[in-house]
Amino acid sequence: MMDAKPGKVYVAVGNNLVDGLATLEWVLKKWSSHSITIVIIHATTNILNQFVYTPLGKLPASSARDESLEAFRMYEQEKINNQLSQYIAFCGKIKTRILPMEKTDEPIHEQIVELISSFRITKLVMGMTFLKSSSRGSISGSFYVHRHKPDYCELFVICGGKLVSLREVNDEGLMEDDQGNTVARMREKAPFICCLGKVLFENSFDGRYSSFSSSSPTNKDSVDSHNQWENNFQELEKYFQELLSSKSDDEDCPRELNKVGPIEANMLTLHQNRANKIEDLRVKLNEAHETIELMRRKAKENVKRQEKARWALNLCSQQTEEFEARTNEEITNRMEIKKDLDRAKENIYEIISDIEESKSRLRSIIELQSELSNKLQISTIAKSSAESQLEKEVTMRVDMLRQIEELRRQRDVIHRRIEFCREKDAIGMATRITELTCSYKEYTAEEIRFATDNFAERLRLKSGNNWTNVYRARIKHTTVAIKRFDSVNSLSPELFQAKVKLLGSIRHPHLVAMMGFSSELRCIVFEYMHHGSLQDILFPSKRISPRRNRALYWQDRLRVMSQVSSGLSFLHPADRKPIFHGNLNPSNVLLDRYLVAKVHGLNPKAHAFFDESEVIKDVTDFGLLMVQLLTGRSWARPVEEIVTLGSLGLVGMLDEVAGSWPSDLAEELAGIAIKCLSVKVYSNWSIASVMRALDVVKRKADDLVSPGDHLAIVGGKQMEDPEDVPRVFLCPIFQEVMKNPHIVADGFSYELEAIQEWLRMGHNTSPMTNLSLKHKNLIPNHTLRSLILEWQNKRSTQPP
């Protein structure tokens, strides 16, 4: 046993947090000017060994499972620990410790007396709720501690945060406040009727509670309790009848009082006293009888309460099962939280390792910093020498400025030469166009073979219908397309001559022009169409390179419609025999370098005899071509289905790649296409009518669109106006403005991508002269590139 040190105050608090804090507040105020140590005495409870607390009250612990009991115990222990933590936090800076006191079978008021003697407690402050669980109650327990404590212990009883004093008067204990008002009192004995009622009521309550706590669903115990009441009542009735009979015998005694002597008088007096006692007993029996009746009614009420309690027990069992399920879920959640905590710890360890690695990197950086400092000192030393060199550089800069002025002068000379070349090219182009419009030339086999490098496979542009081959060639520095007819499965000599005569007799801006032919090799020379067919643009195949991928906006598609209708209108004149195409489709509409549409593929067989149905077929084919330009679809379905859709149906299927179509113009174009497909119904509808209708729509479109918006998008770039682009800026292969021009051994400049592809295909000749190259070195043409950039900058800054 340890002795209590001076300045140590023991405070006994119960499970009521508010009362405990009020008691501690009184202690802190009482000894606020003293240096004390507070020892909190807290009695732990083992109530879960017998009972389980639920939302409906206290239930036997045997009705719950072990896992639930363990969870309840953990919850109660956590609740007690939280309460003690609040007690310690409330004391603030005052030194505080906890003295737990385990509950045993011994009453708590006796345990506290033994604790005072064991620790020699001199100052004990006890809250009223501390002895609440005592068998004597809070008041009687307090008086018990007050009587049996040693004299050296000073006891302070606190009720509601105020000090109360204990005083005993005539076997009655009084509890008074600091103003002398009686707060509570304690009696040692109770009247007979109260004791009897208490005994009987406790017996009945014990029987009822045992029935409530039993796991059997029957009411056997309530029946036994009721029978016990009946037996007790019958015994009391029998005793009461005996008392009445003895009283009736005593009533005859006064009649013979005058006939007896002194001895008899004394006996009579004794009988009278006995009668008085019997009367008192009768009164008490009446009271007992009333108490029994009251207890009987209470017993019946208890039976009803027992039924209600059994129902509550079932409900509590259900809620207990739900609580157990929630408890298991809570345990699972806690396990998951624990796993998450473990993962978080692992992450923390990884972060710590990263921090250590960062520290090592920082150390290396510091070392690098010291090394750089040394280098900085060296560079500072070198700075002085650099300053001297700077003066030399300034002198050199003056010389460079003189050279720049000389280069500018040379640039101006080149500009003048470019203008001269441009005028010369314009004159040459006009001359060639005049020659083409006036006549065509018959080439020899040697000239054709030389231009096509003996029909090299690398120069083949397209193979179609298994009887025609087209090659790209250069004749007199002009790119042309040579179509070669197979000698076995091709045109007869008569048909070949008829085709040459037919193509040579027609000239139109929107018909592919024939520049010459070769009867020996059965070849026809056409003008070269740089952007291929409309088929490749609308329905590109996978074999087409991404560089050639193009998109036609709706303005360009409308222009193609107008240009094709112009070419067909030239073939279908009203004053002479019409020349019908017979196979108009996107593959026979070709586009030149500036996306000008021209019709190709005239068949001389179709012109031997005139047939009105063929002319109607050209109009129908043109209508289908308009539908394909509007929707961007190949439309393999029958024409009748397209006519069934109507103009509104076609407007709902417009090609989004072409941009935002004006709704009114799109509806007018769809109406024109439907009329072309229904030309048999519209007897007066000809290709000339189509051209006039398209001209009206085109004028409306020109009013809606600004001049800058008419530029077509080719390969992701806007097409330049051919009249504004100097010819020297165009790549001879791509026929586009060069971005990275390089000089080749033939003296011409090409786009780097184009000439590399040319050389990668195994060519060792010049694309322009078709002569062998002395070497394959590519030299950047910076002068030409700077001129192109300057020209483009001037165009971008010019107002629209």
Side-chain angles (χ1 to χ4, degrees):
M1 301 298 176
M2 58 179 290
D3 297 333
K5 296 181 180 180
K8 187 178 295 187
V9 178
Y10 289 78
V11 182
V13 294
N15 292 326
N16 191 325
L17 178 62
V18 177
D19 185 74
L21 295 176
T23 305
L24 289 173
E25 183 180 8
W26 183 89
V27 171
L28 295 175
K29 289 181 180 179
K30 173 70 176 176
W31 286 280
S32 61
S33 60
H34 297 79
S35 177
I36 62 173
T37 300
I38 297 177
V39 180
I40 298 176
I41 302 174
H42 186 270
T44 59
T45 177
N46 295 326
I47 190 64
L48 287 177
N49 292 332
Q50 298 177 359
F51 301 103
V52 175
Y53 288 95
T54 68
L56 294 179
K58 183 170 65 176
L59 297 178
S62 60
S63 63
R65 293 187 297 185
D66 294 339
E67 296 84 355
S68 301
L69 289 176
E70 183 63 25
F72 289 147
R73 290 190 181 95
M74 291 175 62
Y75 172 75
E76 291 295 332
Q77 187 62 39
E78 184 178 356
K79 182 178 178 183
I80 292 172
N81 294 337
N82 185 24
Q83 185 175 0
L84 295 177
S85 300
Q86 295 187 46
Y87 287 155
I88 295 174
F90 184 79
C91 294
K93 297 182 179 180
I94 303 300
K95 186 177 180 180
T96 309
R97 66 186 184 89
I98 304 297
L99 178 61
M101 186 175 69
E102 292 286 343
K103 272 195 175 183
T104 61
D105 296 336
E106 186 179 2
I108 191 170
H109 53 269
E110 297 180 6
Q111 292 186 45
I112 197 66
V113 173
E114 293 179 359
L115 191 66
I116 294 173
S117 301
S118 300
F119 288 89
R120 296 189 62 80
I121 298 175
T122 58
K123 294 181 179 61
L124 176 62
V125 180
M126 186 168 60
M128 286 295 293
T129 59
F130 178 75
L131 296 175
K132 187 175 180 180
S133 60
S134 174
S135 59
R136 288 176 171 264
S138 300
I139 300 175
S140 298
S142 300
F143 276 98
Y144 180 86
V145 176
H146 176 70
R147 293 172 187 159
H148 295 83
K149 70 178 181 62
D151 295 334
Y152 59 78
C153 179
E154 187 176 1
L155 177 64
F156 302 92
V157 179
I158 306 301
C159 180
K162 296 183 180 180
L163 178 66
V164 296
S165 58
L166 306 179
R167 189 165 60 88
E168 297 185 13
V169 179
N170 298 328
D171 297 333
E172 185 178 24
L174 298 177
M175 185 176 288
E176 300 175 346
D177 58 7
D178 52 357
Q179 297 180 359
N181 298 323
T182 301
V183 177
R185 65 177 65 219
M186 180 193 68
R187 294 179 179 272
E188 294 294 336
K189 297 181 182 180
F192 170 75
I193 298 300
C194 295
C195 293
L196 178 62
K198 181 178 181 181
V199 171
L200 294 175
F201 182 74
E202 287 178 352
N203 290 335
S204 174
F205 180 80
D206 293 339
R208 180 181 63 83
Y209 184 78
S210 63
S211 174
F212 175 76
S213 61
S214 175
S215 60
S216 175
T218 62
N219 58 353
K220 180 181 178 182
D221 293 337
S222 63
V223 176
D224 293 341
S225 176
H226 183 71
N227 294 334
Q228 184 180 359
W229 275 108
E230 292 294 335
N231 294 333
N232 293 335
F233 178 74
Q234 291 176 1
E235 291 178 1
L236 290 174
E237 285 289 340
K238 183 178 180 180
Y239 180 62
F240 180 69
Q241 292 297 331
E242 291 177 358
L243 290 178
L244 290 179
S245 62
S246 62
K247 178 182 178 182
S248 62
D249 294 336
D250 292 336
E251 288 179 352
D252 296 334
C253 293
R255 298 177 182 177
E256 299 179 0
L257 182 62
N258 297 327
K259 299 180 182 181
V260 295
I263 296 174
E264 290 79 358
N266 291 332
M267 293 296 294
L268 182 60
T269 302
L270 292 175
H271 282 294
Q272 289 178 352
N273 292 334
R274 182 181 178 186
N276 292 332
K277 292 180 179 180
I278 290 172
E279 184 65 23
D280 293 337
L281 288 175
R282 187 179 63 80
V283 173
K284 292 181 179 180
L285 278 177
N286 290 333
E287 293 178 358
H289 185 270
E290 293 176 357
T291 303
I292 290 170
E293 288 295 330
L294 179 61
M295 292 301 106
R296 180 181 295 173
R297 288 192 298 271
K298 288 184 178 181
K300 293 180 180 180
E301 293 177 358
N302 288 337
V303 172
K304 296 180 180 179
R305 292 174 183 171
Q306 188 179 20
E307 294 295 332
K308 295 180 179 180
R310 186 175 294 106
W311 172 82
L313 180 60
N314 294 331
L315 182 61
C316 289
S317 299
Q318 296 177 359
Q319 295 189 354
T320 301
E321 292 178 357
E322 295 178 358
F323 184 75
E324 289 176 355
R326 294 177 182 176
T327 303
N328 294 332
E329 183 179 356
E330 181 67 22
I331 293 172
T332 305
N333 293 335
R334 290 190 179 185
M335 294 297 292
E336 293 179 356
I337 292 173
K338 185 177 180 182
K339 293 179 181 178
D340 294 339
L341 182 61
D342 294 338
R343 287 194 292 269
K345 288 181 179 178
E346 293 178 358
N347 294 332
I348 291 173
Y349 293 149
E350 292 179 359
I351 293 172
I352 292 173
S353 62
D354 293 340
I355 291 173
E356 293 297 331
E357 184 179 356
S358 299
K359 288 182 179 179
S360 63
R361 292 179 180 177
L362 182 61
R363 287 192 292 270
S364 61
I365 290 173
I366 293 173
E367 295 175 357
L368 180 60
Q369 184 180 7
S370 60
E371 183 179 354
L372 291 175
S373 300
N374 297 332
K375 291 182 178 180
L376 180 61
Q377 294 177 357
I378 297 172
S379 63
T380 304
I381 297 172
K383 179 181 178 182
S384 57
S385 61
E387 290 177 352
S388 60
Q389 293 180 0
L390 181 61
E391 295 178 358
K392 298 179 181 179
E393 294 293 336
V394 171
T395 305
M396 293 175 62
R397 181 176 180 275
V398 174
D399 296 336
M400 290 178 63
L401 289 175
R402 293 195 187 98
Q403 294 177 5
I404 290 173
E405 291 296 330
E406 180 63 22
L407 290 174
R408 287 178 178 175
R409 187 184 65 79
Q410 294 178 5
R411 184 192 63 182
D412 295 337
V413 173
I414 292 174
H415 269 296
R416 289 194 293 271
R417 290 180 180 178
I418 289 172
E419 293 297 330
F420 175 76
C421 292
R422 182 176 178 183
E423 294 177 359
K424 183 179 179 181
D425 289 342
I427 294 171
M429 179 63 71
T431 302
R432 287 195 296 270
I433 292 175
T434 303
E435 292 177 355
L436 288 174
T437 54
C438 295
S439 63
Y440 52 88
K441 179 182 178 181
E442 182 175 1
Y443 294 94
T444 63
E446 289 75 11
E447 289 176 329
I448 298 297
R449 288 193 177 95
F450 180 78
T452 60
D453 195 9
N454 200 14
F455 297 100
E457 189 67 24
R458 57 183 173 79
L459 297 178
R460 178 180 291 184
L461 295 180
K462 183 181 180 182
S463 176
N465 298 328
N466 297 322
W467 58 274
T468 301
N469 290 328
V470 180
Y471 296 85
R472 182 170 59 85
R474 290 189 66 83
I475 298 177
K476 294 183 181 181
H477 305 290
T478 303
T479 304
V480 296
I482 298 177
K483 178 183 286 187
R484 184 182 184 185
F485 296 92
D486 196 356
S487 60
V488 179
N489 298 321
S490 183
L491 298 175
S492 63
E494 293 78 10
L495 287 178
F496 177 77
Q497 292 297 329
K499 187 176 185 68
V500 170
K501 183 178 180 181
L502 173 65
L503 295 177
S505 63
I506 57 176
R507 284 289 187 270
H508 191 270
H510 301 298
L511 296 177
V512 178
M514 184 186 73
M515 300 175 64
F517 67 97
S518 174
S519 300
E520 185 178 357
L521 296 178
R522 290 192 185 178
C523 297
I524 299 179
V525 182
F526 293 97
E527 61 176 319
Y528 181 70
M529 307 300 288
H530 294 78
H531 289 298
S533 67
L534 188 62
Q535 176 80 20
D536 297 335
I537 296 177
L538 293 180
F539 319 114
S541 60
K542 296 182 180 179
R543 65 181 181 86
I544 298 177
S545 63
R547 191 191 68 81
R548 292 182 59 98
N549 190 15
R550 295 173 288 270
L552 286 177
Y553 284 137
W554 65 269
Q555 302 96 323
D556 303 298
R557 300 190 185 198
L558 175 58
R559 178 172 47 79
V560 169
M561 295 178 191
S562 177
Q563 292 171 352
V564 173
S565 67
S566 176
L568 287 180
S569 178
F570 176 78
L571 296 176
H572 295 186
D575 56 348
R576 61 181 172 84
K577 180 181 178 181
I579 301 174
F580 54 88
H581 190 282
N583 190 24
L584 182 64
N585 55 62
S587 63
N588 286 327
V589 177
L590 305 181
L591 302 175
D592 66 1
R593 181 170 58 190
Y594 307 111
L595 293 181
V596 176
K598 297 186 179 184
V599 179
H600 175 65
L602 296 178
N603 189 356
K605 295 180 181 180
H607 308 293
F609 302 98
F610 174 74
D611 190 354
E612 184 67 26
S613 62
E614 295 295 338
V615 177
I616 295 175
K617 184 178 185 303
D618 281 354
V619 178
T620 305
D621 291 344
F622 180 75
L624 183 60
L625 179 67
M626 288 185 64
V627 172
Q628 292 172 338
L629 285 168
L630 285 170
T631 63
R633 304 184 183 185
S634 59
W635 289 98
R637 64 182 67 181
V639 175
E640 289 74 12
E641 294 186 12
I642 303 176
V643 175
T644 305
L645 290 175
S647 59
L648 294 179
L650 290 178
V651 171
M653 303 170 65
L654 294 176
D655 189 3
E656 297 179 356
V657 178
S660 179
W661 293 78
S663 59
D664 54 344
L665 298 183
E667 189 171 352
E668 289 186 33
L669 292 174
I672 295 172
I674 294 298
K675 282 187 176 182
C676 291
L677 295 175
S678 307
V679 67
K680 294 181 180 179
V681 178
Y682 302 95
S683 58
N684 59 346
W685 187 256
S686 63
I687 198 65
S689 303
V690 175
M691 185 179 68
R692 287 192 295 270
L694 288 175
D695 288 340
V696 174
V697 177
K698 190 173 182 301
R699 284 194 294 270
K700 293 181 181 179
D702 293 339
D703 295 336
L704 292 175
V705 182
S706 61
D709 293 336
H710 287 285
L711 298 176
I713 303 299
V714 179
K717 303 176 294 182
Q718 285 187 347
M719 287 293 296
E720 306 288 351
D721 188 354
E723 297 180 356
D724 295 337
V725 181
R727 191 172 182 82
V728 70
F729 292 168
L730 297 177
C731 173
I733 299 176
F734 284 168
Q735 292 298 318
E736 297 174 357
V737 177
M738 291 181 285
K739 294 182 179 179
N740 191 7
H742 278 63
I743 302 175
V744 189
D746 60 357
F748 292 93
S749 295
Y750 302 87
E751 179 67 34
L752 179 61
E753 178 186 355
I755 193 62
Q756 285 180 343
E757 183 179 356
W758 174 270
L759 297 175
R760 189 164 47 249
M761 292 173 63
H763 298 157
N764 55 2
T765 58
S766 169
M768 294 292 291
T769 63
N770 207 18
L771 300 176
S772 299
L773 297 173
K774 296 180 180 180
H775 59 80
K776 295 184 179 180
N777 298 330
L778 305 178
I779 303 173
N781 193 342
H782 297 294
T783 304
L784 181 58
R785 185 172 184 273
S786 62
L787 292 174
I788 293 173
L789 292 176
E790 184 177 357
W791 173 77
Q792 290 177 341
N793 291 333
K794 287 182 179 179
R795 284 179 58 87
S796 62
T797 56
Q798 289 178 357

